[in-house]
PDB file of all heavy atoms in Angstrom:
ATOM      1  N   SER B 163     122.514 101.571  94.936  1.00  0.00           N
ATOM      2  CA  SER B 163     121.671 102.229  95.828  1.00  0.00           C
ATOM      3  C   SER B 163     120.981 101.177  96.783  1.00  0.00           C
ATOM      4  O   SER B 163     120.703 101.497  97.918  1.00  0.00           O
ATOM      5  CB  SER B 163     120.564 102.998  95.094  1.00  0.00           C
ATOM      6  OG  SER B 163     119.836 102.106  94.303  1.00  0.00           O
ATOM      7  N   ALA B 164     120.787  99.942  96.315  1.00  0.00           N
ATOM      8  CA  ALA B 164     120.348  98.935  97.261  1.00  0.00           C
ATOM      9  C   ALA B 164     121.318  98.640  98.453  1.00  0.00           C
ATOM     10  O   ALA B 164     120.947  98.587  99.518  1.00  0.00           O
ATOM     11  CB  ALA B 164     120.018  97.700  96.536  1.00  0.00           C
ATOM     12  N   ILE B 165     122.635  98.551  98.058  1.00  0.00           N
ATOM     13  CA  ILE B 165     123.601  98.388  99.063  1.00  0.00           C
ATOM     14  C   ILE B 165     123.670  99.499 100.057  1.00  0.00           C
ATOM     15  O   ILE B 165     123.852  99.425 101.176  1.00  0.00           O
ATOM     16  CB  ILE B 165     124.969  98.155  98.373  1.00  0.00           C
ATOM     17  CG1 ILE B 165     124.913  96.868  97.669  1.00  0.00           C
ATOM     18  CG2 ILE B 165     126.076  98.136  99.444  1.00  0.00           C
ATOM     19  CD1 ILE B 165     126.134  96.554  96.691  1.00  0.00           C
ATOM     20  N   GLU B 166     123.584 100.748  99.471  1.00  0.00           N
ATOM     21  CA  GLU B 166     123.762 102.009 100.298  1.00  0.00           C
ATOM     22  C   GLU B 166     122.459 101.950 101.267  1.00  0.00           C
ATOM     23  O   GLU B 166     122.687 102.502 102.386  1.00  0.00           O
ATOM     24  CB  GLU B 166     123.689 103.108  99.470  1.00  0.00           C
ATOM     25  CG  GLU B 166     123.841 104.541 100.116  1.00  0.00           C
ATOM     26  CD  GLU B 166     123.812 105.602  99.279  1.00  0.00           C
ATOM     27  OE1 GLU B 166     123.825 105.553  97.951  1.00  0.00           O
ATOM     28  OE2 GLU B 166     123.877 106.814  99.677  1.00  0.00           O
ATOM     29  N   GLN B 167     121.334 101.509 100.768  1.00  0.00           N
ATOM     30  CA  GLN B 167     120.211 101.608 101.713  1.00  0.00           C
ATOM     31  C   GLN B 167     120.098 100.425 102.606  1.00  0.00           C
ATOM     32  O   GLN B 167     119.106 100.285 103.437  1.00  0.00           O
ATOM     33  CB  GLN B 167     118.907 101.670 100.878  1.00  0.00           C
ATOM     34  CG  GLN B 167     118.787 102.999 100.007  1.00  0.00           C
ATOM     35  CD  GLN B 167     117.496 102.754  99.092  1.00  0.00           C
ATOM     36  OE1 GLN B 167     116.424 102.345  99.416  1.00  0.00           O
ATOM     37  NE2 GLN B 167     117.705 103.321  97.879  1.00  0.00           N
ATOM     38  N   GLY B 168     121.029  99.458 102.625  1.00  0.00           N
ATOM     39  CA  GLY B 168     121.016  98.367 103.629  1.00  0.00           C
ATOM     40  C   GLY B 168     120.104  97.204 103.207  1.00  0.00           C
ATOM     41  O   GLY B 168     119.589  96.549 104.075  1.00  0.00           O
ATOM     42  N   TRP B 169     120.107  96.866 101.838  1.00  0.00           N
ATOM     43  CA  TRP B 169     119.412  95.710 101.463  1.00  0.00           C
ATOM     44  C   TRP B 169     120.304  94.488 101.481  1.00  0.00           C
ATOM     45  O   TRP B 169     121.530  94.698 101.253  1.00  0.00           O
ATOM     46  CB  TRP B 169     118.763  95.956 100.055  1.00  0.00           C
ATOM     47  CG  TRP B 169     117.613  96.933  99.997  1.00  0.00           C
ATOM     48  CD1 TRP B 169     117.670  98.221 100.304  1.00  0.00           C
ATOM     49  CD2 TRP B 169     116.280  96.653  99.472  1.00  0.00           C
ATOM     50  NE1 TRP B 169     116.470  98.737 100.075  1.00  0.00           N
ATOM     51  CE2 TRP B 169     115.595  97.884  99.587  1.00  0.00           C
ATOM     52  CE3 TRP B 169     115.674  95.473  98.909  1.00  0.00           C
ATOM     53  CZ2 TRP B 169     114.279  97.870  99.140  1.00  0.00           C
ATOM     54  CZ3 TRP B 169     114.380  95.546  98.481  1.00  0.00           C
ATOM     55  CH2 TRP B 169     113.672  96.787  98.726  1.00  0.00           C
ATOM     56  N   MET B 170     119.745  93.413 101.744  1.00  0.00           N
ATOM     57  CA  MET B 170     120.595  92.158 101.731  1.00  0.00           C
ATOM     58  C   MET B 170     120.662  91.548 100.387  1.00  0.00           C
ATOM     59  O   MET B 170     119.592  91.351  99.661  1.00  0.00           O
ATOM     60  CB  MET B 170     119.903  91.077 102.612  1.00  0.00           C
ATOM     61  CG  MET B 170     120.642  89.791 102.567  1.00  0.00           C
ATOM     62  SD  MET B 170     119.892  88.428 103.709  1.00  0.00           S
ATOM     63  CE  MET B 170     120.988  88.674 105.152  1.00  0.00           C
ATOM     64  N   LYS B 171     121.911  91.177 100.026  1.00  0.00           N
ATOM     65  CA  LYS B 171     122.177  90.613  98.691  1.00  0.00           C
ATOM     66  C   LYS B 171     121.860  89.096  98.738  1.00  0.00           C
ATOM     67  O   LYS B 171     122.165  88.460  99.769  1.00  0.00           O
ATOM     68  CB  LYS B 171     123.613  90.782  98.271  1.00  0.00           C
ATOM     69  CG  LYS B 171     123.969  90.368  96.900  1.00  0.00           C
ATOM     70  CD  LYS B 171     125.409  90.596  96.653  1.00  0.00           C
ATOM     71  CE  LYS B 171     125.746  90.244  95.178  1.00  0.00           C
ATOM     72  NZ  LYS B 171     127.196  90.600  94.819  1.00  0.00           N
ATOM     73  N   GLY B 172     121.096  88.663  97.770  1.00  0.00           N
ATOM     74  CA  GLY B 172     120.753  87.273  97.749  1.00  0.00           C
ATOM     75  C   GLY B 172     121.255  86.587  96.595  1.00  0.00           C
ATOM     76  O   GLY B 172     122.446  86.930  95.993  1.00  0.00           O
ATOM     77  N   SER B 173     120.723  85.491  96.006  1.00  0.00           N
ATOM     78  CA  SER B 173     121.269  84.777  94.858  1.00  0.00           C
ATOM     79  C   SER B 173     120.963  85.322  93.580  1.00  0.00           C
ATOM     80  O   SER B 173     120.144  86.164  93.431  1.00  0.00           O
ATOM     81  CB  SER B 173     120.626  83.335  95.035  1.00  0.00           C
ATOM     82  OG  SER B 173     119.238  83.368  94.949  1.00  0.00           O
ATOM     83  N   CYS B 174     121.676  84.933  92.547  1.00  0.00           N
ATOM     84  CA  CYS B 174     121.396  85.209  91.226  1.00  0.00           C
ATOM     85  C   CYS B 174     120.799  84.138  90.451  1.00  0.00           C
ATOM     86  O   CYS B 174     121.354  82.961  90.628  1.00  0.00           O
ATOM     87  CB  CYS B 174     122.759  85.639  90.529  1.00  0.00           C
ATOM     88  SG  CYS B 174     122.617  86.273  88.718  1.00  0.00           S
ATOM     89  N   PHE B 175     119.807  84.371  89.764  1.00  0.00           N
ATOM     90  CA  PHE B 175     119.257  83.417  88.860  1.00  0.00           C
ATOM     91  C   PHE B 175     119.299  83.958  87.472  1.00  0.00           C
ATOM     92  O   PHE B 175     119.044  85.102  87.151  1.00  0.00           O
ATOM     93  CB  PHE B 175     117.705  83.215  89.234  1.00  0.00           C
ATOM     94  CG  PHE B 175     117.521  82.226  90.319  1.00  0.00           C
ATOM     95  CD1 PHE B 175     117.285  82.688  91.661  1.00  0.00           C
ATOM     96  CD2 PHE B 175     117.353  80.819  90.113  1.00  0.00           C
ATOM     97  CE1 PHE B 175     117.183  81.921  92.737  1.00  0.00           C
ATOM     98  CE2 PHE B 175     117.202  79.891  91.205  1.00  0.00           C
ATOM     99  CZ  PHE B 175     117.061  80.509  92.500  1.00  0.00           C
ATOM    100  N   ASP B 176     119.595  82.993  86.504  1.00  0.00           N
ATOM    101  CA  ASP B 176     119.400  83.435  85.082  1.00  0.00           C
ATOM    102  C   ASP B 176     117.998  83.976  84.907  1.00  0.00           C
ATOM    103  O   ASP B 176     117.080  83.302  85.361  1.00  0.00           O
ATOM    104  CB  ASP B 176     119.698  82.231  84.129  1.00  0.00           C
ATOM    105  CG  ASP B 176     121.135  81.872  84.129  1.00  0.00           C
ATOM    106  OD1 ASP B 176     121.974  82.640  84.613  1.00  0.00           O
ATOM    107  OD2 ASP B 176     121.528  80.807  83.653  1.00  0.00           O
ATOM    108  N   GLY B 177     117.910  84.870  83.911  1.00  0.00           N
ATOM    109  CA  GLY B 177     116.569  85.538  83.725  1.00  0.00           C
ATOM    110  C   GLY B 177     116.190  86.611  84.699  1.00  0.00           C
ATOM    111  O   GLY B 177     115.637  87.583  84.354  1.00  0.00           O
ATOM    112  N   MET B 178     116.436  86.356  86.058  1.00  0.00           N
ATOM    113  CA  MET B 178     115.961  87.316  86.982  1.00  0.00           C
ATOM    114  C   MET B 178     117.126  88.441  87.364  1.00  0.00           C
ATOM    115  O   MET B 178     116.895  89.578  87.467  1.00  0.00           O
ATOM    116  CB  MET B 178     115.632  86.658  88.298  1.00  0.00           C
ATOM    117  CG  MET B 178     114.516  85.629  88.214  1.00  0.00           C
ATOM    118  SD  MET B 178     114.298  84.911  89.812  1.00  0.00           S
ATOM    119  CE  MET B 178     113.148  83.593  89.364  1.00  0.00           C
ATOM    120  N   GLY B 179     118.369  87.876  87.706  1.00  0.00           N
ATOM    121  CA  GLY B 179     119.355  88.772  88.155  1.00  0.00           C
ATOM    122  C   GLY B 179     119.599  88.478  89.629  1.00  0.00           C
ATOM    123  O   GLY B 179     119.081  87.458  90.186  1.00  0.00           O
TER     124      GLY B 179
END
Side-chain angles (χ1 to χ4, degrees):
S163 61
I165 294 170
E166 182 179 357
Q167 293 176 44
W169 288 60
M170 171 181 268
K171 185 175 184 177
S173 59
C174 180
F175 280 94
D176 287 352
M178 300 182 194

